[in-house]
Amino acid sequence: MSAIIQLNQVSKIYSIGKLQVPALKNIDLTINAGEFVAMAGPSGSGKTTLLNIIGALDDASSGTVEVDGKDLNGLNRRQKSHLRRMNIGYIFQHYNLIPVLTALENTEYVLMLQGQPKAQRRATAMALLADVGLAGKEHHLPAQLSGGQQQRVAIARAIAPKPQLILADEPTANVDSHTAESLLDLMERLNAEQGCTFLFSTHDTAVMKRSHRLIWLKDGVIDYDGVPSGFQLP
Amino acid sequence: MNVNLAFFLAWRSLGRNPRRSIVSVAAISLGLSLCMLMIAFADGVYQRTINNAVAEQAGHLVLQHPNYTLQPGVDLVVNLSPEDMQAIKQLASVDNVHTLVLANTLVRSSYSARNGRIYGVNPNQGLNSIIAKKVNQGRYLDNSNPQQIVISDKLARHLKTKLKQHLVLVANDAHGNTVEALFSIVGIFPQSMDGVDGHIVHMPLVAAQAMLGLEPQQFTRVGILLRNPSDMSNVQAQLQWLNLPQRGLLTWQQVLPALADYIRTDRFSMLVFNGLFVLLVLATIFNTILMSVLERRHEFSTIMALGTPPSLLRLQVLIEGILLALLGCGLGTLLGLIMIWPLYHFGIDMSALFPDGISTSGVSIDTQVYGYISLSSAVNLITGVFIATCSMTLWPMYKATRIPLTQGNSA
C-alpha cells in the first residue's frame, strides 16, 4: 500500500508577540491510501494544527510534508489551491457551508471549480445528497438545515469530487449521537466502497473505537499510534 | 479562469445580502444623482448667463473691429452688407444674427445730466433681452418711431424725469463731431442691485446709426447666435471669409473676458466641490465593500480552503463591485434625471432671494434659473463615478485573498 501522507520531523510554532508556542513537535507520520484513521487527544494537543498542515491550509514551521507524493513546502499558493481542489476533501467541525448557496450548489461547488459540465455535476450532487439522506432538501439554504443536515451536506461536498484523501476536523462534534453514528456509517461506507483515505480528529471515544487506526496526540507529539483496541484512555 | 462561476457567486452574494447591497447601491445612486443635480443647477446658470450675455452684448461669435476691445470708439465699426448677413444666416448652425451699435453718451434732462451707454438694437431682437423683460413702466422699443428710448428707474430718478417725457442724448459721432438728439422715454426698467444696468439706454438701431453718423450697414458689433454653442469652433472655421483686416471674428469669451473668467473659475470651484462630495460618497462605498469582505472572512476562508483559486475570489469581489457600480450608476442616473426634469422644464424662480436682480462681470443673470446638463458632462460624471466605484474594490479584492485559510476551521 502506498503512502498518501508522509510527515518527517514536522514542527509548528505559533508566535504570539514575543511568546513562542510550540503546537507540534517533530512529528513523523505515515498514512497509507485507503486507511480510516482517527486522531484524538486533549484540547490543545495539536490535532487541528496537524490537519491544517496536511490539508495545505497552513505551513509547518519545519520538517517536510508530502501529500500524494507532493512536497507541500515546494508548492506556491496556486499549486496548493490546485492540490486542495483536486486531491483533498475537507470536512470542517462547523460545517462551513457557503451561506449564499443551496445544499445542491454547495455539494457541486468543487465540481464547478473543476470545470465539470453542469448536467454531470448536478447528477453527481443530487445522487450524493440522496445518499446522505437529504433527498428533497437540495434547494434549502444552509440556514434552513439542522446541524446534522449541514454536516451531511459538508460530507457530500467533500466526497463529490472523489478525492483520494478526506480530512475531517471533529465531524461529529456538533451533532447528536444518533446523527454521529449515521455519519460514521456513511464515512466507513465511502472508505470501503470508494477507497477514500479518511483522517479525522475526534474527542468521542465511540468514534475512536470505530476507526481502524488511532493516533493519540499529547502536547504536540504522537503518544500512541496503533489499533484502537490497544489504547487505554489516560 | 471561471468567469461564469465568479459572476454566479457575486450575483448570489449580492442577492442574498440585500441590506448590504441596498446600502451600497443607495450610496452610489444618491451621490451620483446629487452631483448631477448640482452640475445641472450650475450649468443652467452658466448657460442662461452666457445666453443672456451673448443675446444682449454680443453673440456666440462676434464680428467687430479688431481694435475695438482695446479702444472702444464709435468710429471703430464693421461694415457688413445685407448679402453677407444673409450668407451668415444661411449656415445651418446659425440661429440668428444680431446687430448692435454702442456708444457712450451724456443723457440730459431739463434738471440734470448723467453718463449713459447707448445700446442701438433692432427692437424685434431686443424684445428677448433681460432689459425688455424687466420693463415695468411703459413698454419696450417698437418700430413705430425711431426717437424712443428705454432707461433705468435710477437714471430716471437722477434726471427727475418719467415715462413719456423727453431726454436729450449728447454723443460724439463717428466723424468726431458732437451731436445731440431728442428722444421720448417709452419704457423704464428697475435697475439691478449692483447697478450694472443703471446706465443702459436702449434705442432703435436706426436711431443710433443716424445720430452717430453711421451707414445702415455699419455696426459696432455683429453677434452670431448659434443653435448649439458647442458648434462655435466649426462655425468660426466656416466664417473665416469674414475675418478681414477691418473685421475681427471673435468668440464671446474674447469679447467678454471677465464673464468667461468668472465662469471658468466658478466651474473649477464646482469641480472641486463635486470632487470632494464624490470622495465622501466613495469613502462610504469603500467602507461598505471592505466591510462586506471582512465580515465574510470565514466564508472566504472556506471557499479558498476548498481549492478556489485566489484569482477567482478576487474576480468575485471585483464583479460584486462592478455590479454594485452598474446598479448604482443606473439608478443614480435615473434619479438624477428625475430631479433635473422639473428644474429643466419649469426652473426655479429666485427673484424672492434677489428682488433687484443679480449680475456678474457686468452681465445680468436671469433670476429664473433652469437646470441643464450636457450629454458630455453627464457621461463624464457617470463614467467617473463608475470607474471610481470599481476602483474602490481593489483593496478589498486584495484583502479577500489574504485571509488565513485556517480562519475557516475556527468557530
Side-chain angles (χ1 to χ4, degrees):
Chain A
M1 222 183 265
S2 62
I4 192 163
I5 298 169
Q6 182 81 55
L7 273 65
N8 292 311
Q9 292 293 298
V10 169
S11 295
K12 177 70 180 177
I13 298 168
Y14 290 110
S15 297
I16 305 168
K18 289 180 180 173
L19 195 63
Q20 303 273 298
V21 181
L24 295 173
K25 298 170 191 166
N26 303 318
I27 301 278
D28 289 315
L29 176 67
T30 301
I31 293 174
N32 292 319
E35 282 198 273
F36 193 72
V37 184
M39 189 162 53
S43 292
S45 59
K47 303 185 293 295
T48 299
T49 301
L50 191 56
L51 280 177
N52 285 341
I53 289 172
I54 294 168
L57 302 181
D58 202 357
D59 295 321
S61 303
S62 63
T64 58
V65 182
E66 283 184 24
V67 175
D68 197 26
K70 295 182 184 74
D71 182 359
L72 298 190
N73 291 340
L75 302 182
N76 59 27
R77 266 160 55 92
R78 196 172 54 79
Q79 288 166 327
K80 282 181 184 172
S81 173
H82 184 264
L83 178 78
R84 289 194 298 272
R85 182 163 68 247
M86 305 307 287
N87 299 71
I88 304 172
Y90 212 112
I91 302 168
F92 299 91
Q93 183 180 349
H94 301 283
Y95 330 130
N96 288 23
L97 299 180
I98 302 167
V100 296
L101 301 183
T102 62
L104 182 64
E105 289 160 347
N106 263 290
T107 307
E108 62 180 349
Y109 180 75
V110 181
L111 303 178
M112 286 190 219
L113 289 178
Q114 292 180 342
Q116 276 198 17
K118 187 175 180 180
Q120 187 186 334
R121 68 172 191 250
R122 188 131 292 195
T124 304
M126 292 288 278
L128 279 170
L129 285 174
D131 216 18
V132 297
L134 287 176
K137 304 275 185 190
E138 295 89 350
H139 300 292
H140 285 54
L141 288 170
Q144 297 166 326
L145 299 171
S146 69
Q149 287 171 329
Q150 286 189 56
Q151 195 61 301
R152 285 164 187 267
V153 176
I155 291 172
R157 179 178 67 184
I159 61 178
K162 294 192 172 66
Q164 293 143 303
L165 173 65
I166 293 179
L167 304 173
D169 191 10
E170 304 201 28
T172 58
N174 292 308
V175 294
D176 59 67
S177 58
H178 177 72
T179 307
E181 280 294 318
S182 65
L183 287 175
L184 279 169
D185 289 343
L186 178 67
M187 288 161 63
E188 264 187 332
R189 184 158 59 82
L190 290 166
N191 174 248
E193 291 175 0
Q194 297 187 7
C196 291
T197 308
F198 273 85
L199 173 61
F200 51 93
S201 65
T202 184
H203 275 112
D204 189 339
T205 48
V207 175
M208 290 178 218
K209 281 177 188 164
R210 291 189 57 172
S211 67
H212 305 165
R213 176 180 169 188
L214 176 67
I215 296 167
W216 182 261
L217 277 175
K218 189 181 174 188
D219 296 332
V221 295
I222 295 176
D223 198 45
Y224 175 83
D225 186 355
V227 290
S229 54
F231 179 70
Q232 276 290 36
L233 266 177
Chain B
M1 199 185 300
N2 199 332
V3 178
N4 288 342
L5 179 56
F7 184 87
F8 169 72
L9 289 171
W11 183 254
R12 264 305 164 76
S13 181
L14 293 180
R16 294 270 159 84
N17 294 285
R19 192 173 59 178
R20 191 177 66 218
S21 305
I22 287 169
V23 166
S24 303
V25 169
I28 299 166
S29 56
L30 199 64
L32 176 62
S33 58
L34 287 176
C35 277
M36 282 177 74
L37 186 65
M38 283 192 287
I39 288 175
F41 190 85
D43 276 4
V45 172
Y46 301 147
Q47 197 191 43
R48 195 92 168 151
T49 306
I50 293 166
N51 286 346
N52 288 339
V54 298
E56 281 191 36
Q57 309 242 359
H60 294 104
L61 288 170
V62 176
L63 208 55
Q64 71 174 29
H65 194 282
N67 299 333
Y68 185 82
T69 306
L70 290 175
Q71 288 178 311
V74 72
D75 58 321
L76 297 180
V77 292
V78 287
N79 284 281
L80 193 70
S81 67
E83 293 76 27
D84 285 351
M85 184 98 75
Q86 198 55 37
I88 298 169
K89 282 182 180 174
Q90 279 175 350
L91 288 178
S93 304
V94 174
D95 185 37
N96 209 343
V97 178
H98 283 182
T99 48
L100 191 65
V101 167
L102 299 168
N104 291 327
T105 183
L106 184 71
V107 189
R108 215 169 61 198
S109 68
S110 55
Y111 173 79
S112 177
R114 277 284 186 278
N115 288 327
R117 177 82 168 153
I118 291 172
Y119 279 68
V121 296
N122 182 326
N124 296 334
Q125 79 187 39
L127 271 175
N128 293 322
S129 68
I130 285 191
I131 298 294
K133 288 176 189 165
K134 283 172 72 174
V135 169
N136 60 355
Q137 296 177 52
R139 59 167 174 78
Y140 189 65
L141 305 174
D142 64 15
N143 294 310
S144 62
N145 169 22
Q147 299 308 108
Q148 52 180 299
I149 53 172
V150 171
I151 62 170
S152 74
D153 55 356
K154 186 81 174 284
L155 191 57
R157 266 199 310 280
H158 279 306
L159 299 172
K160 293 203 171 171
T161 187
K162 57 186 180 185
L163 202 64
K164 294 183 182 169
Q165 290 194 337
H166 293 81
L167 291 174
V168 173
L169 270 64
V170 181
N172 286 331
D173 73 4
H175 312 292
N177 304 314
T178 301
V179 293
E180 62 178 25
L182 187 69
F183 290 87
S184 171
I185 304 169
V186 296
I188 294 176
F189 64 89
Q191 179 191 262
S192 63
M193 195 159 51
D194 54 7
V196 161
D197 48 9
H199 61 290
I200 288 176
V201 178
H202 269 215
M203 70 168 63
L205 179 71
V206 287
Q209 285 173 320
M211 179 182 168
L212 299 169
L214 301 176
E215 299 296 323
Q217 74 277 13
Q218 290 185 317
F219 313 99
T220 311
R221 279 181 189 156
V222 176
I224 301 164
L225 295 162
L226 305 180
R227 293 181 205 287
N228 183 357
S230 59
D231 288 341
M232 200 154 63
S233 49
N234 287 338
V235 178
Q236 196 172 18
Q238 288 174 325
L239 292 177
Q240 275 310 302
W241 57 272
L242 285 169
N243 212 355
L244 302 173
Q246 297 302 308
R247 293 197 304 217
L249 183 61
L250 310 172
T251 62
W252 69 264
Q253 291 95 331
Q254 290 170 304
V255 177
L256 303 168
L259 179 66
D261 283 346
Y262 160 76
I263 289 176
R264 205 175 297 123
T265 310
D266 205 60
R267 267 213 170 105
F268 180 72
S269 308
M270 181 57 71
L271 190 70
V272 170
F273 183 76
N274 267 345
L276 289 173
F277 185 73
V278 168
L279 270 181
L280 275 176
V281 172
L282 288 178
T284 309
I285 295 163
F286 175 74
N287 185 50
T288 311
I289 295 175
L290 184 61
M291 285 305 114
S292 82
V293 166
L294 295 181
E295 76 182 14
R296 288 186 285 171
R297 289 169 69 90
H298 201 259
E299 178 185 330
F300 285 164
S301 171
T302 302
I303 284 174
M304 288 207 293
L306 293 173
T308 306
S311 55
L312 185 66
L313 188 55
R314 282 196 289 268
L315 185 64
Q316 180 192 334
V317 177
L318 177 66
I319 290 174
E320 283 182 25
I322 290 173
L323 287 174
L324 287 175
L326 277 175
L327 285 170
C329 288
L331 199 64
T333 304
L334 191 67
L335 197 62
L337 292 176
I338 289 170
M339 288 197 283
I340 291 169
W341 187 82
L343 193 63
Y344 176 79
H345 278 279
F346 308 114
I348 299 176
D349 186 1
M350 309 276 278
S351 57
L353 282 174
F354 306 100
D356 298 320
I358 39 176
S359 67
T360 182
S361 309
V363 175
S364 296
I365 297 177
D366 202 336
T367 50
Q368 183 75 13
V369 174
Y370 289 89
Y372 170 79
I373 187 163
S374 66
L375 184 64
S376 62
S377 293
V379 168
N380 287 344
L381 177 69
I382 294 163
T383 310
V385 170
F386 178 78
I387 292 172
T389 304
C390 292
S391 69
M392 289 296 106
T393 61
L394 294 179
W395 179 247
M397 264 169 70
Y398 171 76
K399 290 294 284 181
T401 52
R402 307 315 292 183
I403 295 168
L405 299 189
T406 51
Q407 185 102 28
N409 208 7
S410 58

